[in-house]
Amino acid sequence: AWGGMISDWSYTRWGMTGRKYAHIIITCGEGIFLVIFSRMPNLGSAIFMMIIFSLFVQSAEGSTFGIVPYVDPKNTGGVCGFVGAGGNIGAVIWGFVFLAVGNFATGYLILGFIVVAVGLTGIFTIYIEDTSHRKESVVMDQSVSGATMDKSLDGGKSSTIELKA
């Protein structure tokens, strides 16, 4: 949830560029903590670093799906499918890396550098047009059973609900 919240917050501040760089920073953080994890000398510190790494993994997933709806708004389901399949491909690649190297520490080190490198490629490869309905301030008035709702979609700056007796 943190990655999605960070992505949404970045969007309210800097638009799609904010989502992009939030994703890049979180993904690179994931790789950095994986590298640190691979160098831990004892079980206690390794577990602590694995927890921090895991927070970044989950946040990267959340920030990824903060971008997905903007890739192709008419085909969001297909984009989600490709993103999910990409995660499975990554898991298979991780497995082959561990088969190719002699020990887990080296495997985690290599994979950490791969994650950082892939994260940094986002600087040059993520170009997404902002197709959000939030680009402009939209005001909607709806009356339901005596309740009037005036909701302005301007980044959450103003929203009121008025109940009439």
Side-chain angles (χ1 to χ4, degrees), residues 61-76:
E61 292 169 2
S63 69
T64 297
F65 282 97
I67 294 171
V68 163
Y70 301 96
V71 174
D72 188 355
K74 293 181 182 176
N75 298 302
T76 300

Side-chain angles (χ1 to χ4, degrees), residues 2 15 17 19 21 23 33 39 48 66 69 78 83 99 102 106 115 122 127 132 134 149 162:
W2 287 2
T17 302
R19 283 195 195 274
Y21 284 104
H23 181 67
F33 279 101
R39 305 289 101 198
F48 179 75
V83 169
L99 288 175
T106 304
V115 170
Y127 299 105
S132 174
R134 293 182 176 211
M149 181 174 165
E162 178 184 335

Side-chain angles (χ1 to χ4, degrees), residues 46-71:
I47 289 172
F48 179 75
M49 280 300 129
M50 179 57 86
I51 291 169
I52 302 298
F53 161 71
S54 178
L55 291 173
F56 275 89
V57 170
Q58 302 304 315
S59 294
E61 292 169 2
S63 69
T64 297
F65 282 97
I67 294 171
V68 163
Y70 301 96
V71 174

Side-chain angles (χ1 to χ4, degrees), residues 2-110:
W2 287 2
M5 290 187 299
I6 292 168
S7 180
D8 290 345
W9 178 81
S10 299
Y11 177 76
T12 61
R13 302 264 323 211
W14 302 289
M16 285 306 294
T17 302
R19 283 195 195 274
K20 170 184 172 175
Y21 284 104
H23 181 67
I24 291 167
I25 290 166
I26 292 168
T27 303
C28 289
E30 174 186 344
I32 290 165
F33 279 101
L34 187 55
V35 168
I36 294 169
F37 166 75
S38 74
R39 305 289 101 198
M40 290 294 100
N42 58 50
L43 182 62
S45 59
I47 289 172
F48 179 75
M49 280 300 129
M50 179 57 86
I51 291 169
I52 302 298
F53 161 71
S54 178
L55 291 173
F56 275 89
V57 170
Q58 302 304 315
S59 294
E61 292 169 2
S63 69
T64 297
F65 282 97
I67 294 171
V68 163
Y70 301 96
V71 174
D72 188 355
K74 293 181 182 176
N75 298 302
T76 300
V79 175
C80 285
F82 276 102
V83 169
N88 293 332
I89 291 169
V92 170
I93 291 170
W94 280 54
F96 282 121
V97 168
F98 283 116
L99 288 175
V101 298
N103 62 42
F104 285 115
T106 304
Y108 285 125
L109 180 69
I110 292 168

